[in-house]
Amino acid sequence: MKTETTPKVMVLHAPVGVRSIVSSLVAFFIVASSVTFLLDRGQEAQVQMAVEHGRQEMEVKLEAGLQEPAMRGTTDAGDAGEECNWSRGRWVYDNMSRPLYSGLKCAFIFPEVACDKYGRKDVMYQHWRWQPHACDLPRFDATKLLEKLRNKRLIFVGDSVNRNQWVSLVCMVEASIPDDRLKMRIFNGSLISFKALEYNATIDFYWSPLLVESNSDNPIIHRVEYRIIRADRIERHANVWKDADIIVFNSYLWWRKQKDDMRMKVMYGSFEDGDARLDEMEMIDGFEIALKKLTEWLGENIDKNKTRIFFAGSSPTHSWASDWGGEDSNKCLNETEPIYKTGYKAATTDYSLMAKAKSYFKTLEPKGIHVQILNITELSDYRKDGHPTVFRRQFVPLTKKQIANPASYADCTHWCLPGVPDVWNEFLYGYLMNTM
């Protein structure tokens, strides 16, 4: 088990006084030096903070006054005309401005991602800030976001990882609403709503893990070994999100193979009409069918002048420790630090699904409909330390065998909060502040 090393933070200060050897002038020189120090400090742009962590030594630069940088950049590598690629950067330890909220104080956090509440003692995972190589992410401001969402509806559509991001955003904004009477959460089957009443703003999550209608649409009972989607049916889901001002889709996790021979079924027609047909196919082929139907629906129904559309990139899992030189039997259990190797990409992380999604959404461009990809895969790939593992509520009692082998039930898919999904929402915030 790794031993956590608490980072040593050293803040360098300029001298604040000059000692006179002439006793009668001591007071004068102290006052003069103090005034000079304050003027000099007012002109400094940054404070240098040396952070030592194990064998890693990083320099964290905190901007004086924490002024908000220009909101320019992109999370898409290769977008012409943009000055910065937000998705390329590094994690820096920052115990000054992180975390953005307290997971223990957020009344809307879900028990499966509330790691410190369920016994995780090392909290270093909460203090990492994503730093793009050539620019800064816009500094998150909950009040500004709520003003932007005034009289609007933002909805996350997808699986439990997308719900993870929804919980993150709710916790990021709810702390700015101290009066509990002005915020509320509503459960309605597959739909969960957070409402900021003073702003008439709604932030929703809708369970639709395979995008189109499927046999996994029940938000509670959906762990089915053989997944079936209905190739031509999306309207029941689309009716929930069609009036939204901002939609954030996510659908990768449920298309990954849980075992090498895993396949799925696609249903055409209906039993009611007597023309039902089931075709068995590879998971990736089913993903393309769902993307095609979603793209068709967006092209025919979205008001390009009203609705902003995002598609979140693939969230990597860390179930194979050999990816970073560990033992696979441990999964991500007891990991307390990110992966530091620049440009690291796990062999088990599938980037091809995101490429397929982008290719389908490009067909909407001639219609003036742009789907912005939130490219969060690479930055998340570094964070083997960010998962709940065993520090979460267990909804099913553990067996003796599981208790004897904690790695067997460690969750290396979802993310502790505060944590990595907060950065995904900083990306989202940057786009919304810059374009709406």
Side-chain angles (χ1 to χ4, degrees), residues 26-320:
V26 167
F28 171 79
F29 278 109
I30 289 177
V31 170
S33 298
S34 298
V35 170
T36 302
F37 164 66
L38 290 173
L39 290 173
D40 289 342
R41 294 291 284 181
Q43 298 299 316
E44 286 181 359
Q46 296 176 325
V47 175
Q48 299 297 326
M49 182 172 66
V51 180
E52 293 181 6
H53 184 57
R55 291 181 299 176
Q56 295 294 325
E57 187 172 0
M58 291 165 287
E59 186 180 81
V60 179
K61 296 182 179 180
L62 300 177
E63 293 192 1
L66 291 176
Q67 294 183 357
E68 185 169 307
M71 296 184 202
R72 292 176 295 183
T74 173
T75 59
D76 283 332
D79 275 6
E82 296 288 343
E83 296 188 8
C84 179
N85 183 341
W86 290 345
S87 65
R88 297 293 174 85
R90 62 192 176 103
W91 290 97
V92 295
Y93 189 83
D94 180 357
N95 59 0
M96 302 287 287
S97 67
R98 292 295 186 275
L100 297 174
Y101 56 90
S102 167
L104 294 173
K105 293 180 180 178
C106 178
F108 299 90
I109 200 165
F110 276 34
E112 58 265 36
V113 295
C115 302
D116 45 2
K117 179 180 178 180
Y118 284 87
R120 182 165 180 175
K121 300 303 181 185
D122 69 288
V123 293
M124 286 180 56
Y125 68 90
Q126 300 182 8
H127 295 290
W128 294 96
R129 174 172 55 83
W130 180 249
Q131 179 61 57
H133 288 315
C135 61
D136 296 300
L137 284 174
R139 185 183 175 212
F140 183 81
D141 187 314
T143 301
K144 285 185 178 180
L145 178 60
L146 288 170
E147 282 293 351
K148 190 70 81 170
L149 295 179
R150 185 180 290 276
N151 301 319
K152 290 184 172 63
R153 181 183 180 223
L154 184 161
I155 185 169
F156 291 85
V157 177
D159 55 29
S160 56
V161 173
N162 213 21
R163 185 174 61 212
N164 208 162
Q165 185 178 357
W166 172 81
V167 174
S168 162
L169 187 61
V170 169
C171 287
M172 288 168 76
V173 302
E174 71 92 21
S176 69
I177 311 173
D179 191 339
D180 289 342
R181 295 170 298 179
L182 297 178
K183 54 189 174 184
M184 61 189 299
R185 180 173 60 184
I186 303 170
F187 290 84
N188 183 16
S190 295
L191 182 67
I192 312 172
S193 299
F194 170 81
K195 295 185 179 294
L197 302 180
E198 182 181 358
Y199 298 87
N200 190 31
T202 301
I203 304 175
D204 286 343
F205 168 75
Y206 179 69
W207 176 265
S208 178
L210 296 165
L211 299 177
V212 293
E213 295 176 25
S214 74
N215 65 338
S216 302
D217 286 344
N218 187 307
I220 298 174
I221 306 170
H222 51 251
R223 294 185 178 182
V224 291
E225 183 176 358
Y226 295 103
R227 292 164 188 170
I228 303 173
I229 63 170
R230 303 189 71 171
D232 53 354
R233 298 293 178 91
I234 198 174
E235 285 73 20
R236 180 162 56 85
H237 294 327
N239 285 336
V240 177
W241 70 61
K242 66 181 180 181
D243 67 340
D245 300 279
I246 304 152
I247 311 173
V248 183
F249 292 103
N250 169 277
S251 184
Y252 292 107
L253 182 63
W254 282 63
W255 302 101
R256 294 173 181 164
K257 287 187 174 184
Q258 296 177 347
K259 50 187 179 180
D260 290 341
D261 61 347
M262 184 174 180
R263 291 167 65 86
M264 69 178 305
K265 293 182 179 180
V266 178
M267 180 177 176
Y268 296 89
S270 68
F271 291 111
E272 295 85 352
D273 296 335
D275 60 349
R277 186 181 90 247
L278 285 174
D279 290 352
E280 189 175 80
M281 61 183 62
E282 295 292 337
M283 303 296 292
I284 187 66
D285 296 325
F287 181 55
E288 291 201 55
I289 288 173
L291 282 175
K292 182 175 182 292
K293 186 62 181 178
L294 175 63
T295 303
E296 289 175 356
W297 188 93
L298 294 174
E300 295 170 1
N301 295 278
I302 284 296
D303 181 350
K304 64 182 180 182
N305 297 315
K306 173 194 175 186
T307 306
R308 288 295 314 276
I309 309 168
F310 297 87
F311 202 88
S314 179
S315 171
T317 62
H318 290 92
S319 296
W320 302 100

